[in-house]
Amino acid sequence: MERLNHWIAEAASFVWGLPLLVLLIGGGLYLLVYSRFLPFKYFGHAIDVLRGKYDNPDDPGEISHFQALMTALSSTVGMGNIAGVAVAIAVGGPGAVFWMWVSAIVGMSTKFFTCTLAILYRGKDDSGAIQGGPMYFITEGLGKTWKPLAAFFSIAGLVGALPVFNVNQLTQAINDILLIPNGIAKGFSTDLTIGIVLAVITGIVILGGLNRISKTASKIVPGMVVLYFLAVLVILFINASEVPRYFKLIFTDAFAANNYTGDPMLGGILGALIILGIRRGAFSNEAGIGTAPMAHGAAKTEEPIREGLVAMLGPFIDTIIVCTLTALSILVTGVWQSSDANGVSLTAKAFSDAMPGFGSYVLLICIAVFSISSLFSYSYYGTKCLSFLVGTRYKHLYNYFYISSILIGATTSLSLMINLIDTFFALMAIPTMLATLILAPKVMTKARVYFKMIKS
């Protein structure tokens, strides 16, 4: 296992090198400038679309704008926001948060383009059903000769969509917060038991298909964000005097990598700090990875730009709001310096220190809902990838593979799981961003027409 962990860590470091950083962030910055920040000017209109003001039940698609965003958010607003932020701060200090913000702002532009393309170039699967996602906008937008690139995305998506990181961190949280403090020894049997319970819950929902997944997500995602928001506000209120200092530190440390107390291997290497922040930001909001276009591609709409605007709200909610709340709770309580914990355990320490007796249990509830909702959405992404590769009649087989992987995630180490998903997210980003950059002029042509229509 140690050798496997080493190989996967090396693979993650290799694929997350300078070329991918240029493609993901450089490409996103290009889209931001190329669009002249146009989508950002219609933030209010995006909220109106999300509220259902323009919904038409007769439009092609399976789910509403709101359900599409909640399905996408149920996978992005997850353990990346709680454990991923904790990992970034533990390794890179407060400055890593700033680069997560940069990733989010760039990601808003990227999601506008990728999810517009998901509607603009919807294709049909072998059963004749309308489908959206990178594999379809590659083949429909660029032509059948580009199908190998679409297949590459789908193969990477089969592993990238596995829930192993979320399950791993939920298992760790249950052990650290619920079992160990109550005298129940942690071991393989307890981890496996947790994995089996999660597998059963997930199986009940995902075997019901997209409609059940989207309806479940649309009910629990808003509630879990509000609960987490209120819990962190309590922590910030208790430590109100520390908030301005640490908020400032996020900015100052972002450009002074040698000042933080994280991993000494990264000390003084500003580039490594930036890559760390970008990696964790991409892990959290998934902009440019290609998962969200698969959810938004199922929305009931004939206006591609509307879905792009709704999708643009995702990184704002996910990273600018939720990740910042997590970061501040870890920083103001001081646990990032006083504790050797990492991942979800570090966030749990912040909650228990600020709200002794019950804080960690509040976090456990949030973590459980975050993680379980993520389990539902990722399964949909994997089945779409398998359907594209071998046909819809075999897509149900992925669900069994997916449910089995929950047991692996529950019984394996954090570093192995996070490096595994990082590697395949990077591989998914390559075809997604290449196709998006090539097709960007098509999006802007549609955008100019749509925004002119809105004005008139």
Side-chain angles (χ1 to χ4, degrees):
M1 286 301 292
E2 285 181 12
R3 188 173 295 177
L4 178 64
N5 194 6
H6 174 74
W7 286 342
I8 293 177
E10 288 292 315
S13 297
F14 174 75
V15 294
W16 276 99
L18 187 61
L20 183 66
L21 191 68
V22 170
L23 181 64
L24 202 58
I25 299 304
L29 283 171
Y30 167 77
L31 295 173
L32 197 64
V33 174
Y34 179 64
S35 68
R36 297 181 182 178
F37 296 85
L38 190 62
F40 292 81
K41 298 174 185 176
Y42 292 88
F43 204 87
H45 178 65
I47 294 172
D48 284 341
V49 175
L50 181 65
R51 288 170 49 216
K53 187 175 179 180
Y54 300 93
D55 281 0
N56 182 352
D58 297 326
D59 281 345
E62 296 181 70
I63 54 180
S64 69
H65 293 292
F66 181 76
Q67 287 176 330
L69 181 64
M70 291 305 108
T71 301
L73 277 177
S74 69
S75 65
T76 59
V77 179
M79 292 309 297
N81 303 86
I82 297 175
V85 174
V87 169
I89 293 174
V91 177
V97 179
F98 175 84
W99 296 109
M100 290 182 73
W101 289 344
V102 172
S103 173
I105 293 168
V106 171
M108 289 175 71
S109 176
T110 303
K111 278 209 176 175
F112 169 76
F113 277 86
T114 56
C115 294
T116 296
L117 287 170
I119 299 294
L120 184 59
Y121 291 110
R122 283 200 275 210
K124 289 185 178 180
D125 58 29
D126 61 347
S127 67
I130 292 176
Q131 299 288 355
M135 64 284 263
Y136 290 100
F137 67 66
I138 289 171
T139 52
E140 299 295 322
L142 298 177
K144 300 298 181 185
T145 55
W146 290 77
K147 192 169 183 178
L149 191 67
F152 178 84
F153 170 85
S154 299
I155 293 167
L158 293 176
V159 179
L162 292 178
V164 287
F165 174 74
N166 286 299
V167 171
N168 177 277
Q169 287 295 275
L170 178 55
T171 303
Q172 185 177 322
I174 293 171
N175 282 321
D176 291 350
I177 297 171
L178 192 62
L179 302 186
I180 295 173
N182 290 293
I184 301 173
K186 173 190 179 299
F188 179 81
S189 59
T190 56
D191 290 348
L192 184 61
T193 302
I194 293 168
I196 291 170
V197 171
L198 292 176
V200 171
I201 294 171
T202 305
I204 291 170
V205 175
I206 69 174
L207 296 176
L210 176 61
N211 279 321
R212 186 181 294 175
I213 293 170
S214 62
K215 286 176 182 176
T216 305
S218 64
K219 289 175 182 175
I220 65 178
V221 171
M224 73 179 178
V225 172
V226 170
L227 175 62
Y228 190 65
F229 183 78
L230 292 175
V232 176
L233 282 184
V234 171
I235 294 175
L236 298 184
F237 180 76
I238 293 169
N239 298 276
S241 61
E242 297 292 320
V243 173
R245 181 165 75 91
Y246 280 109
F247 198 77
K248 181 182 177 183
L249 194 63
I250 289 173
F251 291 92
T252 56
D253 250 32
F255 301 95
N258 58 324
N259 288 339
Y260 63 76
T261 59
D263 190 338
M265 290 294 289
L266 296 178
I269 307 173
L270 181 59
L273 177 61
I274 294 171
I275 290 173
L276 174 71
I278 299 302
R279 264 174 81 170
R280 298 280 63 80
F283 186 86
S284 175
N285 60 53
E286 297 177 21
I289 304 300
T291 49
M294 288 191 273
H296 287 281
K300 278 183 174 289
T301 184
E302 288 187 330
E303 286 287 356
I305 301 302
R306 279 183 192 156
E307 200 56 37
L309 289 171
V310 170
M312 181 183 74
L313 299 174
F316 180 82
I317 297 168
D318 172 271
T319 307
I320 301 294
I321 296 178
V322 183
C323 284
T324 302
L325 291 173
T326 302
L328 287 174
S329 67
I330 291 169
L331 293 173
V332 300
T333 53
V335 296
W336 65 287
Q337 290 176 308
S338 62
S339 173
D340 292 328
N342 199 352
V344 71
S345 300
L346 185 62
T347 312
K349 184 79 169 64
F351 272 66
S352 62
D353 283 7
M355 298 177 284
F358 68 92
S360 57
Y361 291 104
V362 172
L363 179 65
L364 182 59
I365 293 170
C366 294
I367 288 169
V369 180
F370 276 135
S371 297
I372 292 170
S373 66
S374 297
L375 300 185
F376 304 154
S377 300
Y378 276 121
S379 68
Y380 172 64
Y381 300 149
T383 56
K384 284 197 72 163
C385 290
L386 189 63
S387 295
F388 182 82
L389 291 169
V390 298
T392 52
R393 62 178 174 167
Y394 298 110
K395 71 177 183 180
H396 66 283
L397 297 177
Y398 183 81
N399 283 332
Y400 302 113
F401 171 59
Y402 183 90
I403 292 168
S404 301
S405 76
I406 292 175
L407 305 181
I408 298 171
T411 55
T412 321
S413 73
L414 165 63
S415 58
L416 178 61
M417 293 300 96
I418 202 166
N419 284 323
L420 179 71
I421 300 304
D422 269 356
T423 300
F424 282 90
F425 265 21
L427 296 177
M428 292 167 70
I430 295 168
T432 301
M433 288 302 296
L434 281 175
T436 301
L437 290 169
I438 295 169
L439 293 169
K442 303 284 187 183
V443 174
M444 286 311 299
T445 300
K446 283 281 183 182
R448 291 185 191 101
V449 172
Y450 180 78
F451 291 133
K452 188 175 180 181
M453 179 188 73
I454 292 298
K455 282 184 178 180
S456 61

